[in-house]
Amino acid sequence: MADEMGLGKTLQCIALMWTLLRQSPDCKPEIDKAVVVCPSSLVKNWYHEVGKWLQGRIQPLAIDGGSKEAIDQKLAGFMQQRGLRVPSPILIISYETFRLHADVLHQGLVGLVICDEGHRLKNSENQTYQALSRLQTVRRVLISGTPIQNDLLEYFSLVHFVSAGILGTAQDFKKRFEIPILKGRDADASPANRERGEEKLKELISLVNRCLIRRTSDILSKYLPVKIEQVVCCRLTPLQSELYKRFLKQVKPAEELTSGRISVSSLSSITALKKLCNHPALIHDKCVEDADGFQGALSFFPPGYNTKSVEPQLSGKMLVLDYILAMTRSTSSDKVVLVSNYTQTLDLFEKLCRVRRYLFVRLDGTMSIKKRAKIVERFNSPTSPDFIFMLSSKAGGCGLNLIGANRLVMFDPDWNPANDEQAMARVWRDGQKRTCFIYRLLSTGTIEEKIFQRQTHKKALSSCVVDEEQDVERHFSSGELRELFTLTEDTASDTHDRFKCRRCVNGHQVRPPPAGTDCTSDLSQWHHCAEKRGLQDPVLAAAWDAAVTFTFHQRSHDEQRGIV
Ligand code: ZN
């Protein structure tokens, strides 16, 4: 049983024990005893879980220290029990203790053995494996939340433990699977060998799947409230557009990319353009310095401009955000999480909140864990007056639970899709009761759309966090990099243009997405909206005229599916 964390592996195993001990298919016990083997740190935990779920109906025997004689005696007592209703039918014991007292446990039959953290049995040569193998039991469950590693022999050991024979002996396995699969994977493998390797791997997987179950936390999503995800393209303001074009003209970042490798200067070009997309205030200092790319650009700013005020109308995305917040505030009691890659952008959010008198909290990467927990708890409390939670996408991290909010705005796209996924999971998670709205803002036709396009293609690829520079280099060919630096004007959405979409005619969606599509479907299969009429979210509809040019939206699932 290789289910992901949080799907209740322990409960399922307890239910299995109870069923076999008390009420098998023909309503009489199928087994009289079960053994749970686990790391010593989990013995107490298993004891409590059995107590919690079976509510004292079964009194398990947990071996947790004691002299050798005392343990031997207890185990002998356990093994001697036989019959329909033995007093203490579940033994919970650590791997170490099991190994040391295996002789006693080998005296007689046991109906079921469950090995928690079962990847400890990846080596069939070690003593613990040997001791457990010799236990006289035909029903064997091995629990592991750790995905099985790529080592084929480890695979063999684990499968062999629960289902001896389905993969043959170790020698058979080596000859039949390991050698051809490894040969096929060799960099110099002939096409024939490669094909044979693939075939053997498929065969192995289908054999193993007869005794392996692996479910991911995706299956929980249908028990959550509906999530409406919206990718919102926002028009650059005339100021942003002027600055953007001047930068491209002065720096010519596309021409820098001679070797196809990304240089320091193109990285700083990317940063400059991304900041400009967020708000011209973020590059104002460069204009004041007359820095490369922004020479003479100060004159584009309105007369008397200074960065002390927030001026949302100077950035398309900021203006849309301002509307989204105002509409949410005035039409609901919803709270909002704001996410950005840049702390400078979070500073702008703070200014906006002050001007609009929104109460907010901000999570900082430097905060102690204790302080973080306090802030999160305060925000999630229904009585808290805080309206907004600000988060840097890097500081976001796993585990942060912000279910007090049900709307989340991702103000800029991250290179790494995993970071954006992480951010969305802060609100749409276990415990959330309201419909969730996700807004992913992109500046139309700019580098942000290109980053986003890249992201959706590579969704499956990068689950690990890599630093920005490596990521850019790995994910883009030189041609694609050049494309990063082209501004596509006169479009409602560069991303939609690229689909050559047949469901839309003259900017109107004439055919709905195919049945069964959801937020995990390709963006080309989402709802395509070039006007506010097609939206499902009244808040976004009210913000449309601010600067929205196009929206992709999709639902996670239909409401009814949530009812069990
Ligand atoms: Zn379309």
Side-chain angles (χ1 to χ4, degrees):
M1 182 183 281
D3 291 346
E4 260 182 16
M5 291 280 292
L7 295 180
K9 291 191 286 288
T10 307
L11 170 57
Q12 291 176 69
C13 286
I14 292 171
L16 175 66
M17 285 194 281
W18 170 258
T19 306
L20 290 174
L21 286 167
R22 288 288 188 261
Q23 49 183 42
S24 285
D26 43 3
C27 296
K28 61 175 210 273
E30 182 81 16
I31 64 173
D32 58 8
K33 291 191 290 287
V35 177
V36 175
V37 193
C38 60
S40 54
S41 58
L42 294 179
V43 169
K44 268 212 176 75
N45 187 56
W46 268 96
Y47 182 80
H48 291 310
E49 289 286 320
V50 171
K52 174 175 149 194
W53 295 108
L54 298 182
Q55 297 184 348
R57 290 185 185 95
I58 282 179
Q59 193 53 46
L61 169 67
I63 302 284
D64 195 17
S67 70
K68 182 167 178 4
E69 290 73 32
I71 294 175
D72 272 345
Q73 209 177 357
K74 280 187 195 166
L75 293 178
F78 172 78
M79 291 306 290
Q80 275 157 15
Q81 305 176 99
R82 232 167 252 137
L84 277 183
R85 291 223 167 197
V86 308
S88 201
I90 297 176
L91 167 69
I92 303 168
I93 189 169
S94 72
Y95 283 100
E96 294 73 26
T97 315
F98 188 99
R99 178 168 50 80
L100 293 171
H101 300 267
D103 288 349
V104 187
L105 294 162
H106 291 156
Q107 318 280 319
L109 302 175
V110 169
L112 166 73
V113 64
I114 291 171
C115 301
D116 195 7
E117 303 284 339
H119 42 270
R120 291 194 170 206
L121 300 177
K122 63 189 181 188
N123 178 0
S124 58
E125 304 287 311
N126 78 21
Q127 286 185 340
T128 307
Y129 190 101
Q130 300 289 343
L132 273 158
S133 291
R134 284 202 297 274
L135 190 67
Q136 297 184 55
T137 178
V138 288
R139 298 180 195 81
R140 301 173 172 202
V141 176
L142 204 146
I143 309 176
S144 174
T146 316
I148 292 162
Q149 302 296 312
N150 234 352
D151 186 311
L152 289 168
L153 209 60
E154 290 181 5
Y155 222 86
F156 171 80
S157 299
L158 298 174
V159 171
H160 188 75
F161 178 78
V162 290
S163 259
I166 72 166
L167 297 177
T169 64
Q171 272 108 333
D172 296 339
F173 178 78
K174 202 173 168 92
K175 219 164 105 191
R176 186 169 159 204
F177 294 109
E178 195 183 359
I179 294 171
I181 289 172
L182 293 181
K183 252 190 188 165
R185 281 196 191 161
D186 195 283
D188 304 321
S190 69
N193 279 343
R194 201 161 289 169
E195 198 175 312
R196 192 173 142 71
E198 288 289 315
E199 254 169 45
K200 283 288 154 190
L201 184 64
K202 266 191 207 141
E203 189 184 332
L204 174 61
I205 290 169
S206 76
L207 273 174
V208 169
N209 279 344
R210 280 159 47 186
C211 64
L212 174 93
I213 187 164
R214 166 127 184 117
R215 288 160 295 190
T216 64
S217 47
D218 281 356
I219 61 162
L220 291 183
S221 65
K222 62 174 178 238
Y223 303 108
L224 291 174
V226 170
K227 170 180 73 169
I228 294 178
E229 219 179 302
Q230 312 181 93
V231 177
V232 185
C233 299
C234 305
R235 191 183 303 115
L236 290 181
T237 60
L239 172 62
Q240 284 176 304
S241 173
E242 283 305 317
L243 291 166
Y244 206 107
K245 284 189 273 189
R246 169 162 292 223
F247 183 88
L248 294 183
K249 211 166 149 192
Q250 282 184 9
V251 176
K252 300 191 173 55
E255 290 171 25
E256 295 258 318
L257 300 161
T258 41
S259 64
R261 283 184 69 81
I262 194 139
S263 64
V264 178
S265 72
S266 30
L267 269 179
S268 69
S269 294
I270 290 172
T271 307
L273 292 173
K274 283 181 76 185
K275 286 187 173 179
L276 172 53
C277 286
N278 279 3
H279 198 290
L282 303 187
I283 49 98
H284 185 257
D285 57 336
K286 300 265 182 205
C287 299
V288 173
E289 286 166 26
D290 235 8
D292 201 18
F294 299 106
Q295 280 154 13
L298 199 56
S299 61
F300 293 149
F301 281 84
Y305 176 82
N306 71 72
T307 52
K308 286 208 177 67
S309 58
V310 55
E311 314 272 355
Q313 76 283 2
L314 296 183
S315 151
K317 288 197 300 176
M318 197 62 82
L319 195 56
V320 170
L321 173 68
D322 198 13
Y323 271 82
I324 289 174
L325 296 177
M327 276 310 290
T328 303
R329 191 75 178 145
S330 61
T331 62
S332 74
S333 56
D334 296 355
K335 298 183 192 186
V336 184
V337 177
L338 294 183
V339 189
S340 171
N341 281 300
Y342 296 105
T343 49
Q344 271 182 293
T345 307
L346 297 180
D347 295 342
L348 277 182
F349 293 162
E350 282 200 16
K351 283 183 196 165
L352 184 67
C353 288
R354 292 214 169 86
V355 174
R356 302 286 182 242
R357 297 178 187 281
Y358 300 145
L359 292 178
F360 65 90
V361 288
R362 177 170 169 175
L363 189 116
D364 213 304
T366 59
M367 260 174 206
S368 70
I369 292 175
K370 216 171 146 192
K371 184 137 192 242
R372 276 178 172 222
K374 233 183 185 156
I375 288 186
V376 168
E377 198 186 328
R378 195 183 96 186
F379 178 77
N380 284 336
S381 153
T383 56
S384 137
D386 295 313
F387 173 44
I388 286 166
F389 194 104
M390 290 176 202
L391 191 62
S392 137
S393 44
K394 304 238 157 38
C398 320
L400 203 57
N401 178 338
L402 298 176
I403 54 168
N406 60 317
R407 293 181 191 259
L408 180 137
V409 180
M410 269 187 286
F411 198 71
D412 34 47
D414 196 287
W415 291 108
N416 189 339
N419 287 353
D420 282 357
E421 295 288 330
Q422 285 274 346
M424 287 191 272
R426 297 311 107 219
V427 298
W428 194 57
R429 60 189 296 136
D430 200 24
Q432 178 60 263
K433 300 278 183 270
R434 300 180 181 205
T435 301
C436 291
F437 295 89
I438 310 286
Y439 306 87
R440 315 178 73 169
L441 304 190
L442 303 172
S443 298
T444 309
T446 67
I447 190 166
E448 290 191 329
E449 272 205 78
K450 323 266 184 208
I451 292 171
F452 179 74
Q453 288 157 16
R454 200 64 203 166
Q455 231 197 48
T456 48
H457 284 151
K458 296 278 167 173
K459 219 170 204 173
L461 200 138
S462 52
S463 55
C464 54
V465 179
V466 265
D467 69 84
E468 199 154 288
E469 185 168 355
Q470 272 181 339
D471 235 18
V472 176
E473 210 171 311
R474 210 167 41 132
H475 290 314
F476 287 80
S477 71
S478 58
E480 287 165 332
L481 274 170
R482 205 158 288 136
E483 201 148 89
L484 262 185
F485 296 119
T486 42
L487 176 66
T488 314
E489 294 183 276
D490 307 320
T491 178
S493 164
D494 178 55
T495 309
H496 185 254
D497 292 350
R498 273 158 202 267
F499 292 152
K500 310 245 176 298
C501 180
R502 290 208 181 150
R503 294 193 293 112
C504 295
V505 176
N506 298 330
H508 300 285
Q509 181 177 284
V510 291
R511 258 192 298 144
T517 46
D518 58 32
C519 293
T520 63
S521 309
D522 192 84
L523 205 63
S524 61
Q525 307 299 324
W526 287 29
H527 286 277
H528 298 165
C529 275
E531 51 183 6
K532 59 183 157 193
R533 266 194 306 170
L535 293 175
Q536 295 185 13
D537 172 19
V539 166
L540 186 62
W544 188 280
D545 294 332
V548 179
T549 59
F550 199 91
T551 294
F552 302 87
H553 64 92
Q554 188 54 272
R555 304 163 72 85
S556 55
H557 57 278
D558 290 324
E559 245 115 352
Q560 306 90 291
R561 265 175 60 198
I563 299 155
V564 197

